[in-house]
Amino acid sequence: MSIFINGHQLYLRSLTRADLPAILIWNNDREVTRYLFRGAFPTQLETLEHAYEAASNVTFEKELAIVLHKDHLLIGIGGLHNINTIARSAELRVLIGEKCCWRRGYGTEATQLLLAWAFEILNLHKVWLGVNAAQVNAIRVYQKAGFTQEGVLRDEIWRNGRYYAAVRMSILETEYRAQLHTWSCASALLT
């Protein structure tokens, strides 16, 4: 597998058909998808295969595999969605599906690598995301990467028998550049 974007602990590469069984497990794991829209319905392998084939033919939806350097373990997926070439914006999504890899800084580095892709390679102006307000750790990851809260959508998400607010966050290209030097993986990003 070739590395698309290289970091210190992680690298991003194209998704392959061989990645789909792991994604299937994550999508159907209620603990992994507890606060996400993903997982609200059961996922079948055929559905993922169809989405994989469809995504390979569009330029406005791109997901990449998040892989550990040390053992080449696929630990998650992340991507840019709703890529708007006129407004130069996109939605960022990250999922660390391997629970043994939670709270180890991988989400932060994956977010930073995806932002480097967005701003250094795709020449975007703004990257935005929506996050469940109950995902305090995820919000911290995004703040650490330079995202700013734009607003809160009340009772936006129905999961776990209740409504949750959704937090809308974004980062502009100038904000990305202003804090890039503080990232531990900055040297790897720009080589």
Side-chain angles (χ1 to χ4, degrees):
M1 300 286 162
S2 63
I3 295 173
F4 181 62
I5 299 178
N6 205 6
H8 284 305
Q9 303 176 90
L10 309 170
Y11 62 89
L12 304 180
R13 63 162 171 77
S14 295
L15 281 176
T16 67
R17 189 175 298 284
D19 298 327
L20 299 181
I23 298 168
L24 178 69
I25 291 168
W26 302 333
N27 282 357
N28 289 319
D29 185 325
R30 303 269 304 144
E31 188 179 3
V32 171
T33 63
R34 179 170 176 76
Y35 298 111
L36 307 176
F37 177 76
R38 182 187 302 252
F41 299 97
T43 303
Q44 297 176 326
L45 187 56
E46 294 78 20
T47 304
L48 283 179
E49 288 172 343
H50 177 71
Y52 170 78
E53 291 299 327
S56 65
N57 296 319
V58 297
T59 57
F60 57 88
E61 299 280 331
K62 292 296 177 192
E63 278 195 335
L64 300 171
I66 301 169
V67 183
L68 286 179
H69 271 299
K70 64 181 177 186
D71 55 9
H72 304 286
L73 175 69
L74 173 70
I75 64 165
I77 54 175
L80 296 173
H81 302 267
N82 303 305
I83 299 170
N84 183 327
T85 57
I86 296 170
R88 294 178 40 220
S89 66
E91 176 187 4
L92 181 136
R93 296 181 197 161
V94 174
L95 172 71
I96 304 297
E98 289 298 321
K99 292 182 266 190
C100 65
C101 295
W102 290 356
R103 294 174 187 80
R104 294 189 178 192
Y106 299 142
T108 299
E109 186 170 333
T111 299
Q112 292 169 342
L113 294 173
L114 289 166
L115 288 175
W117 178 34
F119 294 120
E120 302 291 343
I121 298 171
L122 298 180
N123 191 33
L124 296 182
H125 172 70
K126 178 179 182 175
V127 175
W128 60 274
L129 58 85
V131 61
N132 188 314
Q135 286 185 280
V136 178
N137 290 336
I139 292 171
R140 269 196 296 260
V141 163
Y142 299 133
Q143 289 171 331
K144 189 175 177 180
F147 282 84
T148 301
Q149 181 175 315
E150 290 187 338
V152 176
L153 304 171
R154 300 176 306 142
D155 287 354
E156 183 70 11
I157 303 163
W158 173 258
R159 287 306 298 256
N160 314 312
R162 63 171 278 212
Y163 283 101
Y164 293 93
V167 178
R168 168 80 183 244
M169 303 178 83
S170 70
I171 182 171
L172 302 177
E173 187 258 345
T174 52
E175 296 164 337
Y176 158 81
R177 295 208 182 285
Q179 49 87 51
L180 179 60
H181 70 281
T182 65
W183 293 356
S184 61
C185 65
S187 60
L189 290 173
L190 301 174
T191 55

